[in-house]
Every structure is written in C-alpha cells, then in structure tokens.
Amino acid sequence: MGNLTANSPSLAIRDDSDNCGSGGGADTFFGLRIASIFIILIGSMFGALFPVISMRYSDYVKVPRGIFEFAKWFGSGVIIATAFIHLLSPAIDELGSPCLSEAWSEYPYALALCLLSIFSIFIVELIAFRWGTTKLASIGVAYDAHGHEAGAHAAHGPEFSAQDIAESGKDAQDLTRIVEEARAASHSSHSVNESGILKNTRANVAVLDSPTTQILGVAILEFGVVLHSILVGLTLAVDPDFKILFVVLVFHQTFEGLGVGSRLAYMQNHLPPAYRNVALYGALLYGITTPVGIAAGMGVRTTYNPDSTTASIVSGVMDSLSAGILIYTGMVELLAHEFLFSREMQTSSNARLARCVGTMLLGCGLMALLGKWA
C-alpha cells in the first residue's frame, strides 16, 4: 500500500489536499475549539459520574430509583446505537476511502475486523467464565450457566441478575461468610450437603461472579468506548464543520457517559470494598478521554488530517474493533442477560417491561439520530 498523493490519477474524485493529502486540518474557531475541551469534559464527567456517585452515596443523595433505571436502560440503547451508527458505519467509509489503495476495496475489512473483535471478546469472556466457575466450585458453589439446575447460580440465566445483586445489598465477602458458615454447620451435622446450603441461602443472597470477571466485563465495554472517544476528540479538533460536530458531540458524549456510568454504578454495588473504587476510576477515565483527544488534536492540528491515508486506516481499524466490542456487549450483556435471562424481568409486570424496553429504544433512537450529523 503505497502512500497516495492528491495528484495521483486514482484520486481524481478527491483532489482536495485537505481530504487526501498529508497537510493539516481546519484551523478556524480556535478559541471555541479550546473551550470545547472544557465543555465536553463537563458533559462527559457528568454523564459518567452521576450514576456512580448517586448510587454510592444513596444515603446522602436521595435520587429516585426510577432515575437510575432510566439511566441504565437509556444508556444501554445508546451503547447499541453507538456500535452500529457511530462506529461500524464510519469504519466502513474510512476503510473504503478513495484515498486508500485498491487493495482495501477488494474485501470488507471493516466488517471482518468487527467480526474478529466479537469473537475475540467472546473467547476472553469464555476463559474468564470458566476461571470464575472453578473459583466458585472451590467454595462449594454449583454453577449453572443457564439457570437450569434448581440450586445453581445462573451467571447468565434466569436465576440471578446483576440487578438482583445490586438490590440485595450483599457483596462477595457477605457471600463467602454465609457459605462458609453454612458449610461448617453441614460438616458438623453431616446432614446437609452443599446443594442444600445454597438452597437455604439463596433466599437471602445472590451468588456473585468473582470481582475479576465483573471488572473484566465492564472494562471490555469501556475499552471500546474510550478508543472511540479519543478518535472523536482528535476529529473535533481539526474538522472544518466544527460547530455542528461540537454541538452533536456534547450530547453524544453525555449520553454515552450515562451508558457507561450506569453499568459502572451497578457493578460497584456488588464488588468487595477493596474494588469499589474501580467504578469511580472507570468513570473518570471515560470523562477525560475525549478532552484529551481534542487537546492532542489541537497540538498537532497543522499536521494531523483526519481524512489522510494514515488517519483513515488507523481510525477505520480502531472503529471496527470498537464496534465489535460494543455490539457483543450490547447484544449479549445488555439485551440477552438483562432482558431474556433476567429473573427480575421475567417476574416484572408487562407495564414495567414495556417501560424498560421503551427507555432503551429512546436512547437508541436519539443516539442513532445524532448519527445524521456526527
């Protein structure tokens, strides 16, 4: 793949050096571009931190439970729309750019990379899942992935859900203590087996995945979002259509922050105390990524061109991989686990189920609509 210049015959349809050349991007509205760093920082931080802090300090900050539910389901819709509209579609355009050599147009690389990302995340989760199963088995906990066995822990099935755990007020240390006490009692009486232990305790506590697998699941989601946010910031810093893109990204990053923040907030409620700051750090990381990207773009604005050959390849590959991460997370973790296999949703009223689905569709629809401008 040789470097193509604006004078190459194959680039006749795009002879604007700002689009295909190696020169810098637009340098207009410099003051407003600087201000955008702080404005988007506020929006991103608010979106990501509000659910985390409100849930952590619920004794002092009285936020109605409905607000948390709205943020959770709205954010889920935002994440799914981001994957398809704001990542996969641009990746297809970027890797199909006329600025690139013809080899890039001979195969749908964006879709292939997205597929690679989906299966890579699946394999990582599968390994973590089996590791967590072994850990639980070591403390005598039966582990049923689909909730078919009466006394088993359903990690992804109808027995228990993250929501159930968050509302139970129990953490992993509580679980370990309860199970160990029950096991000790059963050993002394020789009359209760480990399956019976779980049946006696499941009414009071939901069995948790290990902290590592809980954190890994959210970390995978945030990794895809963070990559996207950095690239968005770089583009905003040099894009000639700055005003429109800026307004759209304020809402984009705030909505996306709500999606990430709500997942972090529910995760922190069922982590051991030593790990609960992970949710706060995750929210802060999300909040600073787009401003950092804007600042970096401002620093290299005379040389960085988001539509150049190199930038198209880098952003196309990153967007494709990020799209796969969010598609897997959205379809498996958010839709399947939270709706189809959630015990809470299976026992909820039709009105509540419709409200949750409607909220998710609202988030998805608004985020998809933003794709018209960014």
Side-chain angles (χ1 to χ4, degrees):
M1 272 166 258
N3 289 330
L4 302 181
T5 65
N7 296 323
S8 301
S10 61
L11 297 179
I13 61 172
R14 289 187 63 178
D15 57 2
D16 182 353
S17 61
D18 275 341
N19 288 330
C20 286
S22 57
D27 198 22
T28 54
F29 309 111
F30 183 78
L32 190 56
R33 291 178 197 267
I34 293 293
S36 70
I37 296 175
F38 303 98
I39 295 171
I40 290 182
L41 175 67
I42 293 171
S44 299
M45 285 292 188
F46 173 79
L49 285 173
F50 172 73
V52 174
I53 293 177
S54 297
M55 189 169 284
R56 171 174 290 199
Y57 301 106
S58 57
D59 292 339
Y60 308 101
V61 182
K62 300 298 182 182
V63 178
R65 184 174 181 272
I67 300 292
F68 286 118
E69 276 210 344
F70 179 86
K72 176 182 179 180
W73 302 120
F74 184 89
S76 297
V78 166
I79 288 170
I80 294 170
T82 297
F84 287 97
I85 306 299
H86 296 267
L87 288 173
L88 187 56
S89 178
I92 293 172
D93 292 338
E94 288 155 355
L95 295 184
S97 169
C99 295
L100 307 185
S101 69
E102 293 183 0
W104 286 96
S105 62
E106 294 175 357
Y107 187 79
Y109 284 100
L111 298 177
L113 290 169
C114 178
L115 189 64
L116 172 66
S117 178
I118 289 173
F119 276 95
S120 297
I121 298 305
F122 165 72
I123 292 170
V124 169
E125 277 215 338
L126 183 63
I127 293 171
F129 181 81
R130 291 178 64 85
W131 179 83
T133 301
T134 303
K135 286 291 184 181
L136 287 172
S138 69
I139 63 171
V141 177
Y143 202 82
D144 176 20
H146 301 288
H148 294 156
E149 297 177 8
H153 162 45
H156 307 305
E159 294 280 337
F160 303 105
S161 69
Q163 178 73 18
D164 300 328
I165 295 166
E167 292 176 355
S168 71
K170 303 291 184 182
D171 61 23
Q173 289 185 342
D174 294 328
L175 168 66
T176 302
R177 176 178 55 77
I178 291 170
V179 171
E180 289 300 326
E181 289 175 358
R183 288 181 67 189
S186 70
H187 289 165
S188 63
S189 64
H190 302 286
S191 60
V192 182
N193 60 24
E194 289 177 346
S195 177
I197 295 171
L198 290 180
K199 290 178 181 178
N200 290 333
T201 58
R202 58 182 287 203
N204 299 316
V205 64
V207 182
L208 308 179
D209 284 340
S210 69
T212 302
T213 55
Q214 293 290 337
I215 293 170
L216 178 63
V218 177
I220 288 171
L221 165 66
E222 181 146 350
F223 178 73
V225 171
V226 164
L227 280 179
H228 170 54
S229 297
I230 292 175
L231 293 173
V232 162
L234 282 168
T235 302
L236 180 63
V238 296
D239 196 282
D241 297 323
F242 170 78
K243 286 186 175 181
I244 296 175
L245 187 60
F246 171 52
V247 172
V248 171
L249 285 183
V250 170
F251 291 98
H252 179 288
Q253 293 305 112
T254 303
F255 290 165
E256 198 169 67
L258 280 174
V260 174
S262 63
R263 312 317 299 183
L264 291 169
Y266 280 99
M267 177 190 73
Q268 76 177 345
N269 269 19
H270 54 277
L271 285 178
Y275 292 90
R276 284 184 181 161
N277 283 337
V278 170
L280 185 61
Y281 298 149
L284 291 172
L285 176 63
Y286 170 81
I288 65 172
T289 49
T290 299
V292 167
I294 298 172
M298 294 294 294
V300 298
R301 66 188 184 279
T302 58
T303 57
Y304 177 74
N305 176 7
D307 289 326
S308 66
T309 301
T310 301
S312 292
I313 294 173
V314 172
S315 61
V317 169
M318 292 297 101
D319 280 349
S320 299
L321 297 176
S322 297
I325 292 172
L326 297 195
I327 288 172
Y328 180 87
T329 301
M331 298 294 117
V332 177
E333 303 291 345
L334 305 184
L335 291 187
H337 293 182
E338 299 286 3
F339 283 100
L340 297 179
F341 300 138
S342 168
R343 182 171 63 90
E344 182 194 15
M345 282 300 170
Q346 287 186 351
T347 58
S348 290
S349 65
N350 290 335
R352 181 170 182 267
L353 179 61
R355 185 171 63 251
C356 292
V357 172
T359 302
M360 183 183 64
L361 292 177
L362 175 65
C364 185
L366 288 177
M367 198 65 169
L369 179 62
L370 292 179
K372 178 176 174 63
W373 300 280

